[in-house]
Amino acid sequence: MSDSQPKINFASNPMYSFYGLWCDCAQNKDALNGFDDDRLSKIANVAPQKGSKMRSIIGKIHEFNITDITGLKSLIKDKLDTQTLEILESAFEAYKEFYAKNKKNIDNNLIVMDTEQQTYQRELAKLYKCFDISPETICSCYLNPFPKNKINDGISNNKSVSMDYSLNKTEDANNYVSNSDILKRKLSTPFHEATHFLFNNSQLKKDIEEEKYPQINSVLNQVISKFEKKGNGSASRDEIKPFAIGAINEAFAACSSALYNEKTTGKPVTNDNEWYHGWKEANDLAKQMYPLFKEYLNEGKSFDCQFFAKLSSAIKIDELRNSNKLQPQEKTSSDKILGLRGLDAVPQTRTPDRSSQSLSKANSNIIKYIQDSKQNA
C-alpha cells in the first residue's frame, strides 16, 4: 500500500488525555473510576461545564503539542484562579504516575491500532476524495487510557480525534486484539471519528451551514422537519439547524462504521440493524444514506449536489414506505416511487412547516450532549 495514501496518525499524550479527563468530569460522574488518588479526585470540583470555552483548549494542546503543566498554564493561566491551577498541577502529577506505570501497554496499543488501520486505509483514502480534503491534512487520533471504565468510544473536532479504552480487561480474552487492551469491536472507532474530522474540515459542511445549494438545502430541511415533527416545544428553525447538521455529520460517520463492519464480517448491513445508537434522526438518515455513500466511495466521487438530490429522494421514498406501513389501507403509488428515484421526475426542494413544532426536551438533551462532546471537546 502506497505511503502517499492518507492515514490516521495514532498518538498518545498524557496532557491531552488528562485534559480530556478533566472536561469529562463535569458531565460524567464515573470519569474518575479507578483513579485511586486524592489528587485526581479533586479535579471534579473544578471541572469546566458543558459549553464552556475551556473545553476547546484541547484543540490547542494538540496544535502546539503541549505535554507538560508549564505548557498548559501558558494556555489557561489567565482563565483560571490560582487555586484551580494548583489543583490541576497536583492532579497532573498523579496522572503522569498512572501513565508512566502503564507506559509499556500504552505504547503497545498504539502499535496495534496503527497496524489495524490497514483494514480501512483504502476506504479512508477514498473518503478524503469524497470530502475533497487534501491528503496532506493529517488526522491525529489520541488513545486515552483509563484504569477501569472508558468514558467515550470516541470524540472528534476539527483539530483531532480521540478514542478511550480501558487498561483493565473485563471481557473474554477472545474479544480483544491479541496482546493488547483494544476490543475487536472497537477497531472501527478511529475510522468513524476520522469521518467526523473530514466532515468538520470540509467545504461541504460550510455549504450546508450557509445553505448555498437547493439540493443540499432539501436534505437539511427534511432533517429539520423530523426534529420539528418530533418536538412539542417552541424551538425555532435556527435553533434546530445546528442539531440537524450534527445528525448529517453522524450519519456520514455511521455509514463508515457500517462499511467497516460489512468489510470485516463479510455480511451486508441491513435496515434492521441499528446504525447509530440513541439518536433516531441520525440513525434513520444513515440507513437512507448508506447505498449512496458506498456508491460514491467506490466511484471516488465528491459528495456533491447530485449526492444530496439522490439522498433527498431516498428520504422521501423511505417516508412513503413507512407511511404505508402505518396506514395499510393506503397503497404507495409505484409511479410516485419511480418519480422520487429520478426515473421520470426531478426531486423538488420542500420547505417544512415550521408552525409550532420543535424539539422535545429529551431529544434536545441528547443532541446537546453529542454536540458538546464532539465539537467543543
Side-chain angles (χ1 to χ4, degrees):
M1 190 167 290
S2 172
D3 290 337
S4 63
Q5 284 189 315
K7 59 182 293 188
I8 295 173
N9 175 42
F10 286 96
S12 188
N13 176 352
M15 178 54 75
Y16 188 102
S17 297
F18 169 75
Y19 197 88
L21 173 67
W22 180 47
C23 290
D24 283 330
C25 288
Q27 61 192 47
N28 194 321
K29 63 181 181 181
D30 297 324
L32 292 169
N33 278 357
F35 288 106
D36 299 322
D37 193 306
D38 290 340
R39 291 173 294 175
L40 269 168
S41 65
K42 293 178 181 179
I43 64 174
N45 298 324
V46 293
Q49 297 301 307
K50 288 187 292 183
S52 167
K53 291 183 178 180
M54 291 298 297
R55 299 178 64 83
S56 66
I57 295 295
I58 200 162
K60 294 183 179 180
I61 291 173
H62 160 71
E63 185 177 359
F64 299 114
N65 193 29
I66 303 297
T67 60
D68 56 31
I69 197 67
T70 301
L72 180 64
K73 283 182 176 180
S74 70
L75 297 176
I76 64 175
K77 64 181 180 181
D78 296 332
K79 301 176 176 64
L80 299 174
D81 57 64
T82 302
Q83 183 179 8
T84 299
L85 288 172
E86 289 175 352
I87 290 173
L88 288 178
E89 182 170 4
S90 176
F92 181 61
E93 287 301 313
Y95 187 84
K96 281 199 304 181
E97 292 171 12
F98 156 77
Y99 191 93
K101 181 180 178 181
N102 295 282
K103 186 71 162 57
K104 183 178 179 180
N105 281 21
I106 291 170
D107 289 345
N108 183 65
N109 292 327
L110 282 172
I111 294 171
V112 166
M113 292 303 291
D114 187 52
T115 301
E116 289 292 335
Q117 76 167 304
Q118 293 178 17
T119 305
Y120 53 79
Q121 190 172 350
R122 191 181 303 277
E123 285 70 26
L124 180 67
K126 291 178 180 179
L127 267 184
Y128 266 76
K129 290 182 179 179
C130 290
F131 281 112
D132 293 320
I133 301 294
S134 167
E136 297 177 358
T137 302
I138 298 174
C139 176
S140 292
C141 179
Y142 290 88
L143 300 185
N144 300 323
F146 281 76
K148 287 188 178 179
N149 301 358
K150 63 179 179 57
I151 303 304
N152 305 292
D153 281 343
I155 294 179
S156 63
N157 53 61
N158 63 354
K159 298 290 186 181
S160 61
V161 304
S162 64
M163 170 182 167
D164 295 352
Y165 68 95
S166 172
L167 291 165
N168 180 35
K169 295 180 180 178
T170 58
E171 298 187 19
D172 187 281
N174 293 325
N175 291 340
Y176 293 86
V177 179
S178 298
N179 301 314
S180 81
D181 303 300
I182 306 297
L183 285 162
K184 292 178 181 178
R185 64 176 179 272
K186 298 303 180 185
L187 288 173
S188 66
T189 297
F191 185 39
H192 177 106
E193 298 303 329
T195 306
H196 285 308
F197 172 83
L198 296 175
F199 179 88
N200 289 334
N201 284 281
S202 69
Q203 180 62 42
L204 172 61
K205 182 185 179 184
K206 294 178 182 177
D207 290 343
I208 296 173
E209 291 172 337
E210 295 171 6
E211 303 189 48
K212 292 178 66 174
Y213 302 104
Q215 299 92 334
I216 295 177
N217 296 349
S218 179
V219 172
L220 177 61
N221 285 331
Q222 285 168 311
V223 179
I224 288 174
S225 180
K226 287 181 180 293
F227 284 117
E228 290 176 325
K229 289 176 181 177
K230 184 177 180 180
N232 53 14
S234 57
S236 68
R237 182 182 185 277
D238 287 343
E239 290 172 319
I240 297 171
K241 180 180 172 180
F243 304 153
I245 295 173
I248 295 171
N249 188 349
E250 282 297 352
F252 273 112
C255 285
S256 287
S257 295
L259 184 67
Y260 175 90
N261 292 332
E262 195 170 281
K263 181 174 182 179
T264 54
T265 65
K267 298 178 181 178
V269 181
T270 69
N271 284 347
D272 292 334
N273 289 84
E274 184 176 49
W275 295 73
Y276 188 85
H277 180 69
W279 194 356
K280 178 173 170 51
E281 289 78 13
N283 181 80
D284 290 348
L285 185 59
K287 69 180 180 181
Q288 294 156 346
M289 180 188 290
Y290 189 55
L292 279 171
F293 179 88
K294 285 205 300 182
E295 174 191 329
Y296 273 64
L297 211 67
N298 290 335
E299 297 181 9
K301 298 189 295 186
S302 298
F303 295 130
D304 55 9
C305 288
Q306 188 61 26
F307 173 89
F308 280 86
K310 292 179 179 179
L311 178 56
S312 179
S313 294
I315 293 170
K316 291 174 184 176
I317 290 170
D318 197 45
E319 288 175 347
L320 279 171
R321 286 174 175 160
N322 289 335
S323 175
N324 198 44
K325 289 177 182 178
L326 293 173
Q327 300 174 351
Q329 72 278 12
E330 297 181 12
K331 293 185 178 181
T332 301
S333 165
S334 60
D335 291 338
K336 188 178 291 186
I337 295 290
L338 288 173
L340 288 171
R341 284 176 175 160
L343 298 180
D344 64 357
V346 177
Q348 299 296 310
T349 301
R350 178 175 62 85
T351 302
D353 174 53
R354 305 185 189 109
S355 54
S356 62
Q357 297 169 325
S358 59
L359 289 172
S360 67
K361 183 177 180 181
N363 200 43
S364 177
N365 288 339
I366 290 172
I367 302 168
K368 285 180 180 178
Y369 172 79
I370 293 171
Q371 282 207 320
D372 286 339
S373 298
K374 293 190 173 295
Q375 296 180 7
N376 298 325

